[in-house]
């Protein structure tokens, strides 16, 4: 049985993952409107991944006798300035999510909830990967600078990152 404090913290994380999914969905739509198909496809896929993170948490909460809650979400921005700004927003968001997972791990430890602690390790690893991916993309964008041709190639290249993510166990 889940302790009330853990249930509350896990439900907060369910909301964080749902909001992440919405932010990336909004980024997908914005990129699609600019004609960047690759970036849009990457963001649509990333949005699905965040929904999967949310569902995995919901199943865990309900399996352990808690109640996974679907709550109101903060609306994401509609536009993101430039691609550089958008990917910086993505990176900052992932850093925030990692902090949120770390806080959750701390709560599980302090409550001696080893099942939750064990479950959360998957998210700890996932965040390492997601931060690395976001950092990698930011580095690429910084290299491209204002080169339009470079952006065209980047839009094509980013499609490969989707296949890599989709093949993840
Ligand atoms: Fe996530
Ligand atoms: Fe994420």
């Amino acid at each position: 049985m889940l302790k009330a404090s853990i249930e509350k913290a896990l439900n907060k994380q369910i909301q964080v993952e749902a909001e992440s999914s919405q932010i990336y969905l909004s980024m997908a739509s914005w990129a699609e409107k600019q004609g960047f198909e690759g970036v849009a496809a990457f963001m649509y896929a990333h949005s699905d991944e965040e929904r999967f993170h949310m569902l995995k948490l919901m199943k865990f909460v309900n399996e352990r006798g808690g109640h996974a809650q679907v709550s109101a979400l903060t609306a994401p921005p509609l536009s993101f300035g430039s691609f550089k700004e958008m990917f910086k927003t993505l990176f900052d968001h992932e850093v925030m999510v990692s902090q949120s997972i770390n806080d959750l791990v701390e709560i599980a430890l302090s409550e001696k909830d080893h099942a939750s602690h064990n479950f959360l390790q998957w998210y700890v690893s996932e965040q390492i990967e997601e931060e690395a991916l976001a950092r990698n993309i930011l580095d690429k964008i910084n290299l491209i600078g204002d080169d339009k041709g470079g952006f065209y190639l980047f839009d094509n290249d980013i499609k490969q990152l989707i296949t890599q993510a989709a093949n993840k166990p």
Side-chain angles (χ1 to χ4, degrees), residues 148-163:
K148 284 235 160 67
F151 256 115
Y152 178 80
L153 291 175
F154 169 78
D155 189 54
N156 237 336
D157 280 356
I158 200 169
K159 288 176 192 161
Q160 283 165 7
L161 296 174
I162 306 167
T163 4

Side-chain angles (χ1 to χ4, degrees), residues 13 16-18 20-21 24 46 49-54 93-94 97 101 122-123 126-127 130:
Q13 190 63 33
V16 168
E17 300 294 346
S20 302
S21 180
Y24 299 141
H46 201 131
E49 262 196 59
E50 298 299 345
R51 183 177 155 80
F52 168 73
H53 295 169
M54 175 198 74
H93 187 80
E94 289 300 337
V97 173
I101 295 288
W122 184 87
Y123 287 84
E126 181 69 14
Q127 282 313 117
E130 292 212 353

Side-chain angles (χ1 to χ4, degrees), residues 104-118:
L104 204 44
V105 169
E106 284 288 321
I107 295 169
L109 275 178
S110 70
E111 294 285 2
K112 297 185 169 56
D113 183 341
H114 297 290
S116 293
H117 182 264
N118 182 53

Side-chain angles (χ1 to χ4, degrees), residues 60-113:
F60 179 76
V61 169
N62 285 340
E63 255 170 34
R64 299 213 36 229
H67 181 190
Q69 287 163 22
V70 178
S71 57
L73 305 176
T74 307
L78 293 176
S79 61
F80 298 89
S82 64
F83 279 106
K84 193 173 170 174
E85 279 175 62
M86 186 178 74
F87 280 102
K88 178 75 171 69
T89 302
L90 184 147
F91 177 72
D92 291 345
H93 187 80
E94 289 300 337
V95 170
M96 183 279 286
V97 173
S98 297
Q99 188 54 54
S100 178
I101 295 288
N102 283 345
D103 294 346
L104 204 44
V105 169
E106 284 288 321
I107 295 169
L109 275 178
S110 70
E111 294 285 2
K112 297 185 169 56
D113 183 341

Side-chain angles (χ1 to χ4, degrees), residues 36 82-85 137-152 154:
F36 286 93
S82 64
F83 279 106
K84 193 173 170 174
E85 279 175 62
I137 293 172
L138 264 186
D139 287 347
K140 280 204 173 86
I141 289 184
N142 282 328
L143 277 176
I144 294 166
D146 294 326
D147 178 22
K148 284 235 160 67
F151 256 115
Y152 178 80
F154 169 78

